[in-house]
Amino acid sequence: MSDTNITKIPAPRVELVDTRTGLISREWFRFFNNIYVITGGASQGITQVENGGTGASTAAQARANLGAGTVSRVVGTGYASGLSLVGDVTGTGTISLQGEVIVNSGDLVGTIDISTQTTGNLDLATRVTGVLPVANGGTGLAVRPTVATKTADFTLADTEGWVINNKSGSTCTATLPAASAWAGRAVTFKNLQLQTLVSASSNVVPLLGGAAGTAILPGLVGAWATLVSDGTNWVVMAS
């Protein structure tokens, strides 16, 4: 720029508009023109920041990065209120969340709702703050288990988790569902009669282990036992 005539700012006494011609004065014109030339002139103008400083290579991608469309890729590390995104975030990549995640959307405050999650894995890598509810007490039932009192032989219903034997006069026989269909399900039985409670099939493993048999409760009032399906048999876990 050595050949550029660097004009000093005109003195205060120099009028911006020449009163004789009504046009900008010669001194002020030279001043503004040299600023125009120094900053790039017609070829560039005042130095531009490419795509708004978003780091995008196109205007469309710049708008997307600013929230006006879909972001296909974010490269590097970013932070927002304690939440950091580390690495490349793509449609098929990995998002690493470090710090505190706060969800605040309408009625959903401080909670991540996964009630509609039907596929994939929920990774609770190292820590969970708060309570992670276990559906219906971990009984394996789709609804909360009910208490049922039996006065005759019976078939255990899908919703029954607590069963009282009150059949008098003879042994009470319970038909238990296939253990293979209820892996992890727990059922507790209690006796109110001096009669035994047995299974209709040899699918009950005793408390001390061994071969599966039919015995569930002895003929004692107050006797009780909790059975849990291991996917093959019903195992007495406590009594």
Side-chain angles (χ1 to χ4, degrees):
M1 309 294 283
S2 59
D3 59 342
T4 301
N5 182 7
I6 306 299
T7 303
K8 295 181 180 180
I9 186 169
R13 66 176 179 275
V14 178
E15 296 285 349
L16 178 63
V17 178
D18 189 326
T19 57
R20 295 171 299 173
T21 64
L23 303 175
I24 188 169
S25 66
R26 177 175 178 275
E27 292 81 1
W28 279 104
F29 174 80
R30 291 183 63 193
F31 174 72
F32 290 131
N33 183 66
N34 277 302
I35 291 177
Y36 172 70
V37 172
I38 291 170
T39 55
S43 62
Q44 179 67 23
I46 295 176
T47 303
Q48 298 179 359
V49 177
E50 185 177 6
N51 295 313
T54 62
S57 58
T58 65
Q61 188 60 51
R63 290 193 296 273
N65 288 357
L66 291 173
T70 301
V71 179
S72 60
R73 184 178 184 185
V74 177
V75 181
T77 301
Y79 300 89
S81 300
L83 171 66
S84 63
L85 303 179
V86 181
D88 291 1
V89 181
T90 67
T92 58
T94 299
I95 301 177
S96 175
L97 302 180
Q98 300 175 351
E100 184 178 4
V101 180
I102 301 176
V103 178
N104 190 340
S105 175
D107 295 332
L108 186 63
V109 179
T111 304
I112 298 178
D113 186 0
I114 58 170
S115 60
T116 58
Q117 178 73 22
T118 57
T119 61
N121 298 320
L122 175 63
D123 185 5
L124 303 177
T126 57
R127 100 180 49 154
V128 175
T129 300
V131 177
L132 182 64
V134 178
N136 299 315
T139 60
L141 300 180
V143 297
R144 295 184 183 276
T146 59
V147 178
T149 298
K150 307 296 183 179
T151 57
D153 295 344
F154 64 93
T155 296
L156 186 69
D158 291 350
T159 59
E160 294 173 342
W162 310 86
V163 180
I164 298 172
N165 172 33
N166 200 24
K167 178 186 176 182
S168 61
S170 62
T171 294
C172 182
T173 300
T175 300
L176 305 177
S180 59
W182 290 96
R185 178 181 176 182
V187 184
T188 297
F189 296 93
K190 185 175 78 170
N191 215 344
L192 290 185
Q193 294 289 331
L194 295 174
Q195 306 294 335
T196 58
L197 173 66
V198 299
S199 172
S201 304
S202 294
N203 57 359
V204 179
V205 178
L207 180 64
L208 299 180
T214 60
I216 299 176
L217 295 178
L220 298 173
V221 174
W224 65 276
T226 296
L227 279 60
V228 178
S229 168
D230 65 358
T232 302
N233 291 299
W234 292 89
V235 181
V236 178
M237 299 300 294
S239 66

